[in-house]
Amino acid sequence: MSADDNQVGGSHYSSLSITPWKVMESWFPESFPDYLLMNALKYIARNKCDKKEDIEKAKHYLEKWLELQN
């Protein structure tokens, strides 16, 4: 299973014909891995009530980053 097959925190992107994640990966292939790491950091650093969901979101970005390393 790929990180592309999962969405953490709702279904608002999965209902689209192409997700923003796929657009960024296509349009900015060289900087996309950095985008993933920066977003993981954003979710780790956030101070919201649902810290578990933020960590799950960070994990999702890191899983995608790891997939790109193969």
Side-chain angles (χ1 to χ4, degrees):
M1 186 169 160
S2 168
D4 293 333
D5 300 328
N6 184 30
Q7 182 180 336
V8 178
S11 61
H12 47 283
Y13 293 129
S14 59
S15 62
L16 301 174
S17 60
I18 185 165
T19 63
W21 178 318
K22 284 305 224 177
V23 171
M24 286 181 272
E25 185 176 17
S26 176
W27 289 359
F28 309 104
E30 291 181 16
S31 57
F32 185 63
D34 292 334
Y35 160 81
L36 296 170
L37 292 176
M38 287 185 273
N39 271 286
L41 178 60
K42 172 187 77 173
Y43 284 115
I44 290 168
R46 279 200 330 187
N47 190 18
K48 290 184 71 174
C49 294
D50 193 351
K51 190 65 177 174
K52 183 176 188 247
E53 183 175 86
D54 282 345
I55 296 300
E56 289 292 332
K57 288 179 180 181
K59 178 183 168 193
H60 188 227
Y61 279 97
L62 293 171
E63 286 170 346
K64 179 63 177 177
W65 185 88
L66 285 169
E67 286 177 14
L68 295 176
Q69 304 311 302
N70 295 327

